[in-house]
Every structure is written in structure tokens, then in C-alpha cells.
């Protein structure tokens, strides 16, 4: 879904400015209103799609309890998520109602009169800022702010610029004064092109609108191969429990109760219960995100997870660069790796655990990936056409 949103936003952005004119304010080729409306149509679809998928999806969106779980179970919580999760029940219901208002009602402001459109745009930007502050949803919220900017015209933004002669503000004012002047031939060509662009967007929007109206609405789907006009949606369902996959390595016999297992730590996902949740938005740790999905599936559904374990069993530099702590760094790699499944919950503010510096409490769910060695995965590596690693043991002095 994110890739499609980047493509569509970038596609529209290419038509904001003329190709052969590099001036900040091209006086002969002002920005097309069709492109501006294209951006407004994009933010409308993003938000209304997200709102509809929630109402049609998880029951907790209808009984106003989804925000009871969201902060704790979202892919990568941040420090503020810890405190937001422990807000009163009535506040969580208010948050859920506000979410429905922003995603189901406010989008209609965007196609209304000028003042209503600007109010809608401001609400959308504020909403995205709140999401940025309360969780690590990568660049998604920052990207969603971009089409919301099209809800504001030059007059509403003039306070941001200097009014001295020759400034951007002055040139925009003169450009608006020439609105009724005779257009040049090149401007007519651009006008025809923009009309064609509007027709293309309208045509490609037909299956998108049909999907939005369907009770079987698909989320984050493209109906054209170039992904120029797409349908969006987010968090149609909310997980009620947070589980994590924890990688562990050992030199010992993995079947002995006395085996000493040492844990790997990833860049941002929960692991060590005393580590403060990270703050990385708009950066995106893709591996941590994928491990969040893997935690409520199984390793058979995620063969790449076994491949990652094999890489860690060889202290592969590329794999090491994706994690924050390898307990076997500068040592021989482990002979065995396993993956354990844990349930994580936030500690209570002011509790004994919190006073001891623990952000999380965890309980063991079970084994996720049984202990493997490099010898035991040879057939798997060959079947998946993965490169078998070469191990260099450190010399003992």
C-alpha cells in the first residue's frame, strides 16, 4: 500500500511544474487546478478508504474499544505509546470516535467550498501529526501530509513568505493579476494535456469507487498496472495481544535444559524488557516490521526467517548490520539458533516493574522455530536456492 501511495503521489507531483521552466514561480504556466484536485482526490481516497475498512472490519472499531489495544500492539511502538496506552477508557473511546470523524466525515470537507476545504486539510495534517507523535508508522504519515497541502491556496499561505519586491509572494501576486491575460500557444498545449490527465484519473477511478462502495472492500489495492490511481486503507483489524519472536543462539547441546541461550537484539522491535521503545519516524526498519507480522504467523509461512537465522549462524556482516546487538560478535558464531515466542505487555506506570526500569513484561508462549544448525538446513537452503554460508572460526590462542 505504501509503495502505491508513493507512486501515485510522485506521479501527480510531476505535473505540478512545467518541464522546461525551472523558475520558482513560472508566470506563463501556473499550476493546473486538475493536478490540485488530483491531490485532493488522493487524500479523500486515503482517508475515506481507511474509515470504511474500519467500520466494515474489526468489531472493536464499532464498539469503540480498538484504541484500548492499538498503542501496545502497533508494529513498532514509541515512548509516547507507553503512556498513551494507559489513558482512561473514556479517552480511548473519544480517540476512536475522533478517528471515525476524521476518516469518514472530514474527507467530504475536501471537496467543499474554499474555507471548508482548508479546514479539512488542516484537520488531516493535524491528525497525521498526532499519529507521527504516538507511533513509529515509518514515512506513511509524512507522505499522507503531502496531498493535504493541496487544500490550501496561495492566499491562505501568503503569511509564510516575505512581501518585499521580487520575493516569491510578490511574484505570485503579480501572476494572479495576469490571470485574465491572453495565454501563449504553449499554455494551450499544457491545458489540453491537463484535461487529458484529468480524464485519465477519472477513468482509472471507476474501479476504485466501485471498491469503496462494495461491502467486500479490498484494502490497499491497485486496479491498473502502473498504480496511478489506487484504493487505500489501514488497520481494518487491530490485534488484541502483542507477541514477539526472539532469536537465541548457543554453543551448547540445544536439547539440554542447562544450555545457555543468548538473545539477539533488533534495532527497534521489543526484545529486552528494559530497553526504552525507540523513536525512528520517518525512518523505516523493514526487518523489525516484518518480524511483527511473523509473530502472529509461523516460520513455515515465513521461510525468510529461517534464512535470517542461517545468516546469523555465520555472523554474516549484512545480517549483523540489520540488528542492534549480536551476542556472538567478535566470537565464533553459535552452533545452534532457535526462535522463541513471547507475549509482551506494557508495564503499569508507577508499578514495581516500571520503577525497576522495565517498559515491558513478557511471558513465554512457546517455541516458534526449533533449534537449527547449519548442517540441519542444508536441504532447505538448496531447495530455496539460498547461498550456503561459509564459516570462518576464530583461531584459539
Amino acid at each position: 500500500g505504501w509503495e502505491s501511495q508513493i507512486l501515485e503521489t510522485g506521479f501527480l507531483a510531476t505535473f505540478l511544474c512545467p518541464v522546461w521552466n525551472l523558475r520558482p514561480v513560472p508566470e506563463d504556466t501556473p499550476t493546473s487546478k486538475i493536478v490540485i484536485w488530483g491531490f485532493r482526490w488522493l487524500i479523500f481516497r486515503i482517508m475515506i478508504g481507511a474509515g470504511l475498512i474500519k467500520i466494515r472490519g474489526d468489531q472493536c472499531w464499532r464498539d469503540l474499544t480498538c484504541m484500548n489495544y492499538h498503542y501496545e500492539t502497533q508494529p513498532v511502538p514509541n515512548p509516547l505509546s507507553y503512556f498513551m496506552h494507559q489513558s482512561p477508557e473514556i479517552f480511548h473511546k473519544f480517540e476512536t470516535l475522533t478517528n471515525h470523524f476524521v476518516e469518514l466525515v472530514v474527507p467530504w470537507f475536501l471537496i467543499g467550498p474554499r474555507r471548508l476545504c482548508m479546514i479539512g486539510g488542516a484537520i488531516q495534517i493535524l491528525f497525521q501529526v498526532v499519529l507521527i507523535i504516538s507511533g513509529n508508522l515509518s514515512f506513511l504519515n509524512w507522505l499522507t501530509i503531502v496531498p493535504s497541502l493541496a487544500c490550501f491556496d496561495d492566499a491562505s499561505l501568503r503569511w509564510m513568505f516575505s512581501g518585499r519586491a521580487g520575493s516569491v509572494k510578490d511574484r505570485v501576486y503579480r501572476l494572479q493579476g495576469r490571470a485574465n491575460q491572453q495565454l501563449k500557444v504553449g499554455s494551450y498545449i499544457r491545458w489540453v494535456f491537463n484535461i487529458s490527465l484529468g480524464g485519465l484519473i477519472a477513468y482509472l477511478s471507476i474501479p476504485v469507487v466501485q471498491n469503496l462502495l462494495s461491502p467486500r472492500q479490498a484494502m490497499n489495492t491497485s486496479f491498473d498496472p502502473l498504480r496511478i490511481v489506487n484504493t487505500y486503507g489501514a488497520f481494518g483489524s487491530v490485534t488484541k495481544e502483542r507477541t514477539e519472536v526472539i532469536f537465541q543462539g548457543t554453543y551448547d547441546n540445544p536439547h539440554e535444559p542447562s544450555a545457555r541461550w543468548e538473545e539477539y537484539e533488533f534495532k527497534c522491535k521489543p526484545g529486552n524488557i528494559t530497553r526504552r521503545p525507540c523513536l525512528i519516524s520517518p525512518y523505516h526498519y523493514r526487518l523489525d516490521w516484518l518480524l511483527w507480522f511473523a509473530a502472529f504467523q509461523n516460520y513455515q509461512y515465513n521461510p525468510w526467517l529461517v534464512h535470517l537465522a542461517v545468516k546469523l549462524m555465520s555472523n554474516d556482516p549484512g545480517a549483523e548490520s540489520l540488528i542492534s546487538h549480536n551476542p556472538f560478535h567478535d566470537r565464533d558464531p553459535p552452533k545452534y539458533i532457535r526462535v522463541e515466542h513471547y507475549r509482551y505487555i506494557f508495564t503499569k506506570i508507577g508499578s514495581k516493574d516500571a520503577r525497576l526500569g522495565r517498559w515491558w513484561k513478557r511471558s513465554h508462549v512457546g517455541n516458534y522455530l526449533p533449534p537449527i544448525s547449519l548442517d540441519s538446513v542444508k536441504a532447505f537452503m538448496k531447495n530455496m536456492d539460498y547461498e550456503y554460508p561459509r564459516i570462518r572460526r576464530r583461531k584459539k590462542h
Side-chain angles (χ1 to χ4, degrees), residues 136-202:
N136 290 303
L137 295 176
S138 183
F139 53 83
L140 177 63
N141 306 119
W142 299 84
L143 180 64
T144 306
I145 288 175
V146 174
S148 301
L149 298 176
C151 298
F152 304 92
D153 57 19
D154 295 331
S156 64
L157 299 175
R158 67 174 62 177
W159 61 273
M160 300 174 62
F161 301 91
S162 168
R164 67 178 184 276
S167 65
V168 171
K169 183 176 181 179
D170 180 61
R171 280 177 285 172
V172 169
Y173 180 78
R174 287 190 283 109
L175 176 61
Q176 291 173 335
R178 297 174 53 185
N180 296 324
Q181 290 187 2
Q182 184 68 31
L183 295 177
K184 296 182 178 180
V185 174
S187 298
Y188 281 109
I189 296 175
R190 182 175 171 84
W191 180 81
V192 171
F193 183 84
N194 287 329
I195 291 295
S196 302
L197 173 65
L200 175 65
I201 293 174

Side-chain angles (χ1 to χ4, degrees), residues 269-285:
K269 84 175 197 70
N272 184 343
I273 60 175
T274 62
R275 188 175 72 163
R276 176 180 60 82
C278 65
L279 185 62
I280 57 168
S281 179
Y283 195 72
H284 183 40
Y285 288 126

Side-chain angles (χ1 to χ4, degrees), residues 25 50 53 80 86 91 103 195 197 213 245 354 360:
V25 184
I53 203 72
L80 190 59
Q86 302 182 57
F91 183 74
E103 293 184 341
I195 291 295
L197 173 65
L213 296 176
V245 289
W360 299 94

Side-chain angles (χ1 to χ4, degrees), residues 245-381:
V245 289
I246 304 297
F247 284 70
Q248 301 173 338
T250 187
Y251 295 126
D252 304 329
N253 183 335
H255 304 295
E256 289 290 334
S258 60
R260 180 172 176 264
W261 293 94
E262 300 180 65
E263 292 190 6
Y264 291 84
E265 194 73 26
F266 288 80
K267 297 276 190 180
C268 205
K269 84 175 197 70
N272 184 343
I273 60 175
T274 62
R275 188 175 72 163
R276 176 180 60 82
C278 65
L279 185 62
I280 57 168
S281 179
Y283 195 72
H284 183 40
Y285 288 126
R286 187 172 180 84
L287 177 58
D288 293 55
W289 193 280
L290 290 174
L291 288 170
W292 176 74
F293 282 105
F296 44 82
Q297 297 167 342
N298 55 56
Y299 78 88
Q300 291 92 342
Y301 193 78
N302 297 278
W304 60 267
L305 190 142
V306 180
H307 191 201
L308 174 62
V310 171
K311 291 284 189 180
L312 294 175
M313 275 193 289
S314 61
N315 280 352
D316 179 78
E320 277 196 277
S321 70
L322 299 175
I323 65 177
S324 65
H325 173 64
N326 176 8
F328 301 93
H329 183 70
D330 288 336
R331 294 195 284 161
D332 284 341
K335 292 183 179 180
Y336 300 93
I337 278 185
R338 71 180 183 184
V339 182
E340 295 297 296
H341 204 188
Y342 284 87
R343 183 187 176 192
Y344 277 68
I345 62 173
F346 279 134
T347 58
K348 296 292 184 182
I349 297 173
S351 67
K352 180 180 178 181
D353 287 310
R355 291 195 299 270
L356 291 173
R358 297 168 183 162
W359 292 80
W360 299 94
K361 291 176 66 176
R362 76 179 189 181
S363 56
H364 190 240
V365 175
N367 178 257
Y368 185 90
L369 173 67
I372 60 172
S373 64
L374 289 178
D375 289 338
S376 69
V377 295
K378 283 184 178 179
F380 165 82
M381 297 292 284

